[in-house]
């Protein structure tokens, strides 16, 4: 089992003919992901590495039964691409694009409210169910199929680091999701926690946060009320200065709120096993997720 | 991206938001001319830097005569203004804003910013104007008026009324206040602002509503559609190394520590800074070279860290995904050839093409310390600090 995506997920890639889109589509196909279509307006009818390209998502969805979209469209057009996919009835949208204006994402959020669509990202590495499908840009070899751990993270390479450490300790993953580093995004920690709690194959959860906003604090409250599975947490940015945006648009301590220390306190209070030194992450997971006994 | 008060006030005027009469001056002579133009004393002379707390730091002064205006202008232009936001070294003032003095009845606070939790725009207002709003929020949160505006709907008359009545605006001023807030909201959305703030917004003795101060910050991701705003950028206000890094598309922030670091990805970069601290040192910077970095970007990033005189050692931490370890290694070797490396360099690489990357570093003959994992990297940084 897994959450949100599996081997049957049918993916259309928006922006398939761009450099990034083409490269990562090939990587996803290699992994076994069912990429059924591509979309680049004006290039309908062409083929991109043996994948049919359509002008619109609606046409691609109609002809290929795609139910998931992977977006590599440049930031100035990305919000529109997300709305187009949702309007075409796509159930899951994974937006990799970094640098979408916040006002555009606020519009998208409003637009998605009455749609039956889940958005992951933007500014994220995507989602992978190891051994079944990879819908994103994460390096495949670091993952271990079969579970029992679900991974949720606001980061990209930091997620790879924690997954790598899990794999080094022979701890597999059910699904790993990057929810993105932007201040306004789609799927949040709580959505993923809820899905992992309900997923029978997931026995434990890894949650990786960073400075900025209050998503970790809200997730902690949710965990203390509803999550029965063990959770290991990490928060990046203990040394980040206030008022400076640390790479991610959402990673900023403003007016004394959104600090790593505050988030760690909230997580500990919720019973999360917080790792305070990234070098020992794998070890802490091995101790916490010891299900044999 | 931040802009100066005088630039923000130019935009305010376009949106019919009342501001005091006045203009910017780059020399004491220009400042005196500006004061004369206003024709009436007192005038206010305000240092123009991208930091708050200018008044407390001695960067905002009232001049009652031409002679006084001249003295103050000479004093402020060229001074190192230290405020709670500039750090101990302060910021050199290169321009001032010379404005008419006003007869103030009441000072208010007004701002608009995007609220990440709700995905709506948020108007914050308070009768405690002129004060640090963070202090108001902490000490008397009830004094803050918060009005959320759905961006799909835009600002409605009831939003204006809710804010105005919340601020106890008198009947004589309601119309003026509402027009100002509506203009401010439109300015905020038209230019993709991440903050507009008027502190204080004043009611004058003759019942005019005027923005005495103006602060604007813009969403860096949206600057591409506002070329006129991009022209407001003032490189003098930026750290020299940060400005240099931005030319190469590098995400670099200069900090006060002694261990430089270069990482791919913002989250891992922050975590690496934390590791440096835990190893008993302090990070000298934040540097995210990004997922799609090439050898040239790596080379430039490395060069910028080397230019930082505080740096006593460097930690490079790369988790190769899209950025391959061999590309990283080539960039480091190139930079090392062109620059004197007189500090120890620890490299930790993992992921795509890691074997090729390690070989490139080994074959280069450079004295690079290799770390096998994060724990090992931290210990090697500790050793640098101790030694």
């Amino acid at each position: 089992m897994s959450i949100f995506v599996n081997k049957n997920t049918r993916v259309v890639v928006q922006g398939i003919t761009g450099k990034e889109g083409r490269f990562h589509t090939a990587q996803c196909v290699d992994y076994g992901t069912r990429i059924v279509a591509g979309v680049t307006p004006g290039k309908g009818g062409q083929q991109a590495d043996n994948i049919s390209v359509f002008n619109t998502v609606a046409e691609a969805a109609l002809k290929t039964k795609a139910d998931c979209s992977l977006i590599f469209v440049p930031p100035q057009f990305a919000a529109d691409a997300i709305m187009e996919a949702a309007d075409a009835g796509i159930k899951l949208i994974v937006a990799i694009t970094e640098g979408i204006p916040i006002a555009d994402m606020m519009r998208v959020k409003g637009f998605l409210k009455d749609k039956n669509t889940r958005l992951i990202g933007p500014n994220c590495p995507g989602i992978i169910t190891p051994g079944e499908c990879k819908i994103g840009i994460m390096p495949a070899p670091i993952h271990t199929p079969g579970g029992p751990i679900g991974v949720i993270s606001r980061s990209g390479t930091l997620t790879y680091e924690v997954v790598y450490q899990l794999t080094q300790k022979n701890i597999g993953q059910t699904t790993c999701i990057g929810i993105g580093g932007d201040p306004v995004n789609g799927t949040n920690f709580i959505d993923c926690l809820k899905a992992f709690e309900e997923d029978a194959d997931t026995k434990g959860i890894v949650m990786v946060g960073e400075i900025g906003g209050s998503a970790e604090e809200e997730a902690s409250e949710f965990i203390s009320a509803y999550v029965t599975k063990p959770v290991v947490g990490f928060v990046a940015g203990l040394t980040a200065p206030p008022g400076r945006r640390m790479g991610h648009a959402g990673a900023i301590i403003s007016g004394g709120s959104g600090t790593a220390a505050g988030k760690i306190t909230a997580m500990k209070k919720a019973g999360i096993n917080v790792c305070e030194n990234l070098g020992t992450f794998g070890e802490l997971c091995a101790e916490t997720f010891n299900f044999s006994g | 991206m931040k802009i100066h008060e005088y630039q923000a006030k130019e935009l305010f005027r376009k949106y019919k938001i009342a501001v005091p009469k006045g203009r910017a001056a780059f020399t004491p002579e220009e400042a005196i001319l500006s004061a004369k133009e206003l024709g009436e004393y007192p005038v206010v002379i305000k240092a123009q830097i991208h930091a708050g707390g200018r008044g407390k730091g001695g960067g905002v002064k009232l001049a009652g005569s031409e002679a006084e205006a001249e003295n103050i202008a000479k004093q402020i232009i060229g001074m190192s203004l230290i405020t709670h936001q500039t750090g101990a070294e302060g910021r050199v003032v290169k321009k001032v804003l010379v404005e008419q003095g006003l007869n103030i009845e009441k000072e208010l606070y007004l701002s608009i910013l995007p609220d990440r939790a709700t995905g709506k725009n948020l108007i914050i207002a308070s009768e405690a104007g002129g004060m640090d709003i963070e202090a108001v929020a902490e000490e008397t949160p009830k004094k803050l008026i918060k009005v959320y505006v759905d961006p799909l709907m835009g600002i409605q008359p009831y939003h204006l009324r809710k804010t105005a009545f919340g601020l106890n605006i008198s009947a004589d001023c309601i119309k003026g206040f509402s027009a100002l807030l509506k203009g401010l909201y439109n300015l905020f959305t038209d230019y993709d602002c991440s903050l507009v703030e008027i502190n204080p917004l004043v009611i004058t003795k003759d019942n005019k509503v005027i923005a005495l101060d103006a602060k604007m910050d813009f969403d860096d991701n949206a600057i591409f559609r506002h070329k006129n705003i991009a022209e407001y950028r003032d490189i003098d206000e930026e750290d020299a190394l940060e400005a240099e890094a931005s030319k190469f598309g590098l995400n670099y922030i200069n900090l006060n520590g002694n261990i430089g670091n270069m990482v791919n990805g913002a989250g891992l970069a922050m975590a690496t800074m934390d590791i440096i601290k835990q190893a008993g040192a302090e990070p000298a910077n934040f540097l995210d070279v990004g997922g799609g970095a090439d050898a040239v970007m790596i080379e430039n990033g490395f060069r910028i860290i080397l230019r930082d005189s505080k740096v006593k050692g460097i930690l490079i931490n790369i988790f190769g995904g899209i950025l391959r370890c061999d590309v990283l290694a080539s960039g480091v070797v190139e930079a090392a050839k062109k620059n004197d490396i007189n500090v120890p360099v620890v490299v930790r690489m993992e992921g795509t093409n890691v074997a090729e990357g390690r070989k490139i570093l080994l074959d280069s003959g450079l004295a690079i310390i290799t770390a096998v994992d994060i724990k090992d990297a931290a210990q090697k940084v500790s050793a640098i600090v101790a030694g």
Side-chain angles (χ1 to χ4, degrees):
Chain A
M1 284 274 284
S2 58
I3 70 167
F4 305 150
V5 297
N6 57 40
K7 59 182 186 303
N8 300 317
T9 305
R10 297 173 68 83
V11 182
V12 52
V13 178
Q14 290 175 259
I16 194 168
T17 54
K19 188 181 151 215
E20 300 257 311
R22 190 160 208 149
F23 174 78
H24 289 293
T25 299
Q27 302 273 310
C28 292
V29 169
D30 276 353
Y31 197 70
T33 309
R34 298 176 71 168
I35 308 274
V36 297
V39 169
T40 299
K43 294 196 177 168
Q46 296 182 11
Q47 296 279 308
D49 298 330
N50 296 320
I51 297 161
S52 298
V53 179
F54 298 88
N55 284 321
T56 65
V57 180
E59 192 188 356
L62 187 72
K63 296 204 173 136
T64 66
K65 297 195 169 57
D67 53 10
C68 170
S69 165
L70 175 59
I71 297 182
F72 290 103
V73 171
Q76 56 273 44
F77 312 114
D80 180 58
I82 296 169
M83 293 190 281
E84 183 192 352
D87 187 61
I90 297 291
K91 295 283 177 288
L92 178 72
I93 300 171
V94 181
I96 305 300
T97 310
E98 177 174 6
I100 304 177
I102 188 168
D104 293 10
M105 277 314 300
M106 285 175 20
R107 277 214 318 279
V108 166
K109 216 168 167 151
F111 180 82
L112 291 179
K113 246 178 212 152
D114 60 352
K115 305 274 183 303
N116 186 21
T117 295
R118 168 178 300 290
L119 170 66
I120 294 177
N123 189 11
C124 79
I127 176 167
I128 181 169
T129 291
E132 296 197 27
C133 74
K134 162 178 130 90
I135 304 170
I137 60 173
M138 62 292 280
I142 58 172
H143 298 84
T144 306
I149 301 304
V151 178
I152 323 161
S153 171
R154 276 171 69 186
S155 173
T157 47
L158 180 56
T159 318
Y160 311 161
E161 177 69 43
V162 304
V163 169
Y164 173 77
Q165 291 197 30
L166 285 172
T167 289
Q168 291 296 102
K169 295 283 175 193
N170 294 315
I171 303 169
Q173 305 94 40
T174 46
T175 299
C176 306
I177 308 161
I179 59 173
D182 274 3
V184 174
N185 61 358
T187 298
N188 60 24
F189 279 127
I190 293 174
D191 300 325
C192 301
L193 288 165
K194 199 165 168 242
F196 278 133
E197 176 68 17
E198 286 164 7
D199 176 43
D201 289 341
T202 299
K203 308 286 185 211
I205 302 165
V206 163
M207 177 180 147
V208 179
E210 64 187 30
I211 57 160
S214 55
E216 290 80 1
E217 286 86 338
E218 286 146 26
S220 297
E221 278 180 29
F222 181 85
I223 287 170
S224 107
Y226 301 107
V227 177
T228 59
K229 299 174 181 178
V231 182
V232 170
F234 181 82
V235 180
L238 272 168
T239 52
R244 300 298 307 262
R245 233 166 261 283
M246 306 303 282
H248 288 156
I252 181 166
I253 298 167
S254 44
S257 72
T259 65
K263 289 171 188 298
I264 289 171
T265 306
M267 286 163 85
K268 283 184 174 165
K269 205 177 139 203
I272 299 171
N273 211 349
V274 180
C275 171
E276 300 203 40
N277 187 332
L278 188 59
T280 60
F281 191 86
E283 289 157 34
L284 183 68
C285 286
E287 285 165 27
T288 311
F289 302 135
N290 183 1
F291 304 115
S292 53
Chain B
M1 191 190 94
K2 286 181 179 150
I3 63 172
H4 288 292
E5 176 193 0
Y6 77 92
Q7 296 166 328
K9 283 179 172 169
E10 283 174 23
L11 293 169
F12 276 25
R13 286 193 185 97
K14 279 191 195 163
Y15 281 74
K16 308 242 173 346
I17 298 161
V19 296
K21 272 187 243 163
R23 65 185 172 93
F26 293 79
T27 63
E29 294 73 33
E30 274 179 36
I32 297 154
L33 274 179
S34 303
K36 277 187 185 161
E37 246 174 46
L38 290 169
E40 192 179 8
Y41 290 91
V43 297
V44 186
I45 300 182
K46 306 176 87 177
Q48 299 293 290
I49 59 166
H50 288 184
R54 292 170 299 167
K56 277 185 199 151
V60 178
K61 286 190 169 153
L62 206 63
S65 66
E66 191 182 318
E68 217 179 337
E70 184 174 355
N71 276 339
I72 291 170
K74 278 182 179 160
Q75 199 186 341
I76 293 182
I77 296 176
M79 81 184 283
S80 272
L81 182 53
I82 301 168
T83 81
H84 67 288
Q85 288 182 2
T86 60
E89 70 279 14
R91 197 79 59 79
V92 177
V93 180
K94 301 207 167 163
K95 46 219 158 232
V96 291
L97 177 60
V98 184
E99 284 187 337
Q100 66 177 142
L102 298 173
N103 283 317
I104 296 166
E105 175 71 32
K106 194 174 177 185
E107 297 193 355
L108 308 166
Y109 173 92
L110 183 64
S111 70
I112 310 175
L113 71 163
D115 180 60
R116 54 199 289 170
T118 58
K120 290 179 177 172
N121 292 320
L122 172 60
I123 298 167
I124 299 178
S126 162
E127 282 189 84
M131 277 182 67
D132 184 0
I133 196 65
E134 280 150 18
V136 176
E138 191 138 305
E139 287 156 27
T140 47
K142 277 190 185 152
K143 281 196 173 166
L144 285 188
I145 298 147
K146 290 185 171 183
V147 179
Y148 293 87
V149 183
D150 184 334
L152 293 176
M153 193 165 81
I155 196 153
Q156 303 298 318
Y158 77 86
H159 294 129
L160 306 173
R161 289 197 302 274
K162 200 173 167 188
T163 314
F165 287 115
L167 286 172
N168 291 311
I169 301 278
S170 69
D172 292 335
C173 299
I174 287 261
K175 221 174 146 185
F177 175 82
S178 299
L180 179 137
L181 179 54
K182 195 174 175 189
L184 193 69
Y185 184 85
N186 290 335
L187 172 63
F188 172 86
T189 54
D190 285 355
Y191 284 101
D192 284 287
C193 294
S194 49
L195 173 74
V196 293
E197 183 183 71
I198 305 176
N199 190 22
L201 173 72
V202 301
I203 312 274
T204 60
K205 297 231 188 267
D206 55 351
N207 285 330
K208 289 199 175 99
V209 187
I210 297 178
L212 200 62
D213 195 11
K215 185 171 166 186
M216 293 183 82
D217 202 343
F218 299 85
D219 179 357
D220 292 325
N221 289 339
I223 295 287
F224 71 88
R225 55 190 175 206
H226 306 294
K227 297 283 185 283
N228 56 331
I229 300 299
E231 283 168 18
Y232 279 143
R233 182 175 172 194
D234 184 352
I235 302 280
D236 285 344
E237 290 290 325
E238 296 173 26
D239 175 88
L241 291 178
E242 289 178 16
E244 169 85 3
S246 75
K247 282 193 228 159
F248 301 103
L250 295 164
N251 233 322
Y252 171 91
I253 295 173
N254 196 354
L255 302 170
N256 293 322
N258 49 4
I259 300 292
N261 58 93
M262 177 161 72
V263 188
N264 63 330
L268 191 59
M270 280 186 271
T272 302
M273 286 165 49
D274 297 348
I275 288 160
I276 290 169
K277 170 100 175 173
Q278 282 154 355
E282 292 284 340
N285 64 277
F286 166 90
L287 173 55
D288 166 20
V289 295
D294 53 23
V296 178
M297 281 172 82
I298 298 289
E299 191 190 323
N300 283 309
F302 197 44
R303 187 173 52 80
I304 285 164
I305 297 175
L306 286 169
R307 265 181 55 189
D308 184 347
S309 57
K310 306 185 300 288
V311 168
K312 302 288 174 259
I314 296 173
L315 170 60
I316 297 178
N317 185 18
I318 299 290
F319 205 102
I322 318 166
L323 170 61
R324 304 187 326 249
C325 294
D326 56 326
V327 171
L328 166 87
S330 309
V332 170
V333 171
E334 279 306 305
K337 275 188 205 157
K338 291 176 194 165
N339 301 276
D340 276 340
I341 300 183
N342 43 19
V343 294
V345 179
V346 178
V347 178
R348 184 272 177 157
M349 286 189 290
E350 198 50 67
T352 316
N353 292 3
V354 64
E356 291 90 330
R358 287 194 180 137
K359 187 171 185 306
I360 290 169
L361 289 182
L362 195 68
D363 292 349
S364 72
L366 295 167
I368 283 170
I369 305 162
T370 306
V372 293
D373 58 22
I374 290 215
K375 206 172 170 183
D376 188 32
Q379 280 160 2
K380 282 169 173 159
V381 168
S382 281
I384 293 173
V385 185

